[in-house]
Amino acid sequence: TTAHAVTEQWLNTGIRPVELLGQRRFVGNDIDTGHLITIDEEMLYNAGLCVDRCEWEPGEQLIEYHTDFSHLTPIPNQGGTLDHAALQRGRVTTTDHKFGAAPENIVYAEDNPQLMLYTIGLWRDPRYQHYWFKDFVSRINQPRVNHFDEWHTTAKRLAEFEDYCR
């Protein structure tokens, strides 16, 4: 959560947030189960690896953007927060940052349900129909395990996943 906030600030400002070094953030719902996290150089370094993969993507940049995929469920207001997207005519690139350090928890972009739902949310969003998306790129950034994955897919595959989700 804290690393995501650091990455978000960096992407929004374009400036490495060195002023955050040493700050402590509480993450959790209560004192018994939460954690106090210190923003250190390692966190900034790993956030920077994520920023490097996103900030140079061409197109309109969306950072910590709420996507909606309620059309796939009987429950209204279903969606999620996409870490980063770059929109350009004919193509959308979606990126999810994962900051866990356990090698056994590597996440792959190919057929990743979370990223597919976020991508579908953008694809079906009326505000972005003028981009005429036909190429879709999903990416996972896991800097603490040196894992950066990318998957290219099609509208046909996403439509198949929509049918599966329904």
Side-chain angles (χ1 to χ4, degrees):
T1 300
T2 302
H4 274 85
V6 171
T7 305
E8 176 185 6
Q9 179 177 327
W10 195 335
L11 283 168
N12 277 321
T13 64
I15 300 167
R16 185 176 190 261
V18 293
E19 73 281 0
L20 299 179
L21 279 171
Q23 283 189 15
R24 297 172 68 152
R25 306 261 174 103
F26 181 80
V27 177
N29 294 325
D30 60 62
I31 196 72
D32 294 325
T33 60
H35 303 279
L36 196 57
I37 305 293
T38 301
I39 299 172
D40 59 14
E41 279 291 347
E42 179 186 1
M43 187 181 292
L44 281 184
Y45 173 78
N46 288 308
L49 292 175
C50 292
V51 168
D52 287 346
R53 285 198 79 217
C54 294
E55 70 180 342
W56 300 111
E57 269 301 308
E60 180 181 352
Q61 306 281 310
L62 303 178
I63 301 160
E64 293 295 320
Y65 182 79
H66 180 78
T67 61
D68 182 274
F69 40 83
S70 295
H71 69 285
L72 300 177
T73 74
I75 305 166
N77 303 316
Q78 296 301 296
T81 303
L82 177 61
D83 294 334
H84 181 268
L87 317 177
Q88 52 186 316
R89 187 160 183 84
R91 177 181 170 142
V92 59
T93 302
T94 55
T95 306
D96 190 36
H97 311 307
K98 307 268 187 215
F99 288 102
E104 65 271 16
N105 292 330
I106 287 181
V107 178
Y108 294 93
E110 184 172 354
D111 282 324
N112 181 291
Q114 178 186 13
L115 275 173
M116 289 172 72
L117 286 169
Y118 291 169
T119 301
I120 287 167
L122 283 173
W123 179 34
R124 300 300 191 197
D125 190 325
R127 292 173 289 186
Y128 302 113
Q129 294 301 300
H130 64 281
Y131 281 106
W132 300 96
F133 299 132
K134 61 181 178 166
D135 297 321
F136 303 88
V137 181
S138 294
R139 304 181 321 168
I140 298 285
N141 291 334
Q142 285 184 278
R144 295 179 69 201
V145 291
N146 196 31
H147 176 74
F148 301 92
D149 197 29
E150 185 171 287
W151 176 55
H152 296 252
T153 193
T154 63
K156 179 182 178 203
R157 175 65 187 111
L158 291 175
E160 290 169 353
F161 187 68
E162 278 183 308
D163 289 342
Y164 169 78
C165 289
R166 281 190 197 99

